[in-house]
Amino acid sequence: MNKPVLDIQDRPTVGQWVTLSLQHLFAMFGATILVPYLVGLDPSIALLTSGLGTLAFLLITKWQVPAYLGSSFAYIAPIIAAKTAGGPGAAMIGSFLAGLVYGVVALIIKKAGYRWVMKLLPPVVVGPVIIVIGLGLAGTAVGMAMNGPDGKYSLLHFSVALVTLAATIVCSVLARGMLSLIPVLVGIVVGYLYALAVGLVDLSKVAAAKWFEWPDFLIPFADYPVRVTWEIVMLMVPVAIVTLSEHIGHQLVLSKVVGRDLIQKPGLHRSILGDGTATMISALLGGPPKTTYGENIGVLAITRVYSVYVLAGAAVIAIAFGFVGKITALISSIPTPVMGGVSILLFGIIASSGLRMLIDSRVDFGQTRNLVIASVILVIGIGGAVLKISDSFQITGMALSAIVGVLLNLILPGRPQAAENLFEENQSDHVA
């Protein structure tokens, strides 16, 4: 490990603090606002809750885990389905319950260790489910890219999406340093400018917006009745199966970056509890579920600035941005094909990251067991299978594929042993 410029507990100067915190804000910004844009939530709430969630995470992890929490892509399809079934309030209830699952898992890990999690969620299950998440959203991305407001094909709108996609790809592949970590933001900016040039941007709402504006909160009991139904539970809660595995993966990578075993100290149970708490805070205010962001881990790796104070600074700035009406209006003015162009790459990357997990974990598809599990998950998830018990209880698509994958892994013979020490095994795999 290279010597850190600022270690985890080091305090930056005021000038460093602002600059380095803004870097983290830019790294998470594009992806964090994309999720509420896609599911019809207020982007200002997403920014506000990402900041509040990050501060809660840092507090729960005793200021020992430098991580930033932004909007989770895994919940896009479930939130849309939950909103269709019961409105925005139903999606928030489901998000809160998913966060509650994190709390339960954290409590069990504290008492019983984490090996059981790895038995429940091995790569052969999680990898294909992540692929399902990405490919299941492919139609949404292409529709946003190709169609105009009337829902019909528009070459002009598609050109905006293609320019956005091209800019994002070029930045991802050719950019160096900080620019390589914000390809989504760069793509959105380039696509926005092109859309502005061809007349697809309406800036009237930006001009009319106030500088200080109260976000559009969604408060339980005040803005919607709290009713927990099996349909909402089965739409949202099973997604935690995937995001828990994603969280563990991020903690392993982060441990490698900072040179400390964060799985042991402050403990996986603390970071999982912090992640779940951030999701519950977000749900109580009307924001999307939260997850630790790989983009911000990338910033840590490049800058070698691991200070939790820098992450806290980014969180405070994000909270402040949530109350700036001009910023919210500017985000809302982004044309749909711009977000569609970015989504084509992002959703593809989600699917590809599932493939990468299978490759990095050396999952052997020469074994019939692994082939069966992955195949069933992919077809059930992408095919949109539904297990309908009654009108009020059904399990659909991705949730069903995740549950079936976990059950197959537990039932079929030949299950491999889970690692005794995740960090040490990850380190040895990395060296090899």
Side-chain angles (χ1 to χ4, degrees):
M1 182 191 72
N2 294 325
K3 185 178 179 181
V5 175
L6 287 173
D7 213 342
I8 291 176
Q9 299 299 326
D10 291 344
R11 294 195 181 196
T13 64
V14 174
Q16 287 177 324
W17 206 335
V18 173
T19 304
L20 296 170
S21 293
L22 282 172
Q23 278 192 138
H24 279 284
L25 185 77
F26 290 147
M28 70 84 186
F29 195 87
T32 291
I33 65 170
L34 178 58
V35 174
Y37 187 97
L38 292 173
V39 301
L41 297 175
D42 187 354
S44 64
I45 296 292
L47 287 174
L48 172 66
T49 54
S50 76
L52 291 173
T54 298
L55 292 177
F57 178 89
L58 293 173
L59 184 64
I60 290 170
T61 56
K62 297 183 173 181
W63 302 91
Q64 294 179 31
V65 181
Y68 194 93
L69 280 73
S71 306
S72 173
F73 280 82
Y75 288 90
I76 291 174
I79 287 176
I80 293 172
K83 283 184 68 179
T84 302
M92 294 304 101
I93 293 167
S95 297
F96 185 88
L97 293 174
L100 203 58
V101 170
Y102 274 66
V104 173
V105 170
L107 182 62
I108 298 173
I109 287 176
K110 181 174 174 57
K111 297 296 183 183
Y114 52 72
R115 289 194 67 204
W116 66 274
V117 180
M118 306 316 295
K119 289 179 180 179
L120 199 66
L121 304 172
V124 71
V125 172
V126 177
V129 173
I130 292 174
I131 295 172
V132 167
I133 291 172
L135 295 185
L137 293 166
T140 300
V142 172
M144 291 172 62
M146 289 196 314
N147 301 329
D150 58 358
K152 296 180 180 179
Y153 178 83
S154 168
L155 182 58
L156 179 61
H157 285 74
F158 198 25
S159 72
V160 172
L162 292 177
V163 168
T164 305
L165 176 61
T168 310
I169 291 172
V170 168
C171 188
S172 299
V173 176
L174 299 180
R176 295 291 179 266
M178 184 59 193
L179 276 179
S180 67
L181 298 172
I182 55 171
V184 173
L185 185 60
V186 171
I188 290 174
V189 170
V190 172
Y192 188 89
L193 293 175
Y194 176 75
L196 187 63
V198 298
L200 293 184
V201 177
D202 179 11
L203 292 174
S204 60
K205 291 183 179 179
V206 180
K210 299 176 182 177
W211 280 104
F212 178 83
E213 201 165 279
W214 204 250
D216 188 15
F217 290 110
L218 274 175
I219 309 297
F221 297 106
D223 295 315
Y224 58 88
V226 176
R227 287 196 300 268
V228 179
T229 66
W230 278 113
E231 184 178 11
I232 299 303
V233 170
M234 298 316 299
L235 277 171
M236 301 289 290
V237 170
V239 185
I241 293 173
V242 182
T243 52
L244 276 167
S245 179
E246 179 186 40
H247 175 93
I248 294 170
H250 281 171
Q251 289 302 105
L252 289 170
V253 173
L254 189 56
S255 295
K256 203 183 316 180
V257 168
V258 303
R260 291 174 176 81
D261 187 355
L262 302 176
I263 301 293
Q264 293 293 335
K265 184 182 179 182
L268 185 61
H269 64 288
R270 282 190 174 274
S271 63
I272 286 177
L273 178 61
D275 205 334
T277 301
T279 292
M280 287 188 283
I281 290 172
S282 185
L284 290 173
L285 297 176
K290 297 296 181 269
T291 184
T292 48
Y293 258 25
E295 294 92 330
N296 295 91
I297 295 174
V299 173
L300 293 171
I302 283 187
T303 62
R304 289 185 289 118
V305 173
Y306 310 141
S307 172
V308 289
Y309 296 101
V310 171
L311 277 303
V316 171
I317 297 172
I319 292 170
F321 274 18
F323 291 94
V324 180
K326 293 283 187 186
I327 290 178
T328 304
L330 188 64
I331 293 170
S332 300
S333 72
I334 300 173
T336 300
V338 171
M339 290 305 198
V342 168
S343 298
I344 288 173
L345 180 61
L346 276 179
F347 296 161
I349 288 175
I350 292 171
S352 298
S353 67
L355 288 172
R356 180 178 177 178
M357 175 180 282
L358 294 171
I359 294 169
D360 290 347
S361 303
R362 302 185 181 93
V363 175
D364 182 8
F365 283 105
Q367 294 184 16
T368 304
R369 180 184 189 277
N370 293 337
L371 190 64
V372 166
I373 293 172
S375 301
V376 172
I377 290 173
L378 289 172
V379 173
I380 287 178
I382 298 173
V386 178
L387 179 61
K388 189 171 184 179
I389 309 300
S390 67
D391 290 338
S392 60
F393 182 79
Q394 59 183 29
I395 311 173
T396 60
M398 181 180 63
L400 181 60
S401 69
I403 293 170
V404 169
V406 168
L407 291 176
L408 284 175
N409 177 65
L410 294 175
I411 293 169
L412 295 178
R415 186 171 73 244
Q417 292 293 316
E420 290 287 346
N421 188 306
L422 288 176
F423 180 67
E424 289 181 2
E425 185 195 33
N426 188 263
Q427 288 285 75
S428 63
D429 285 349
H430 180 65
V431 172

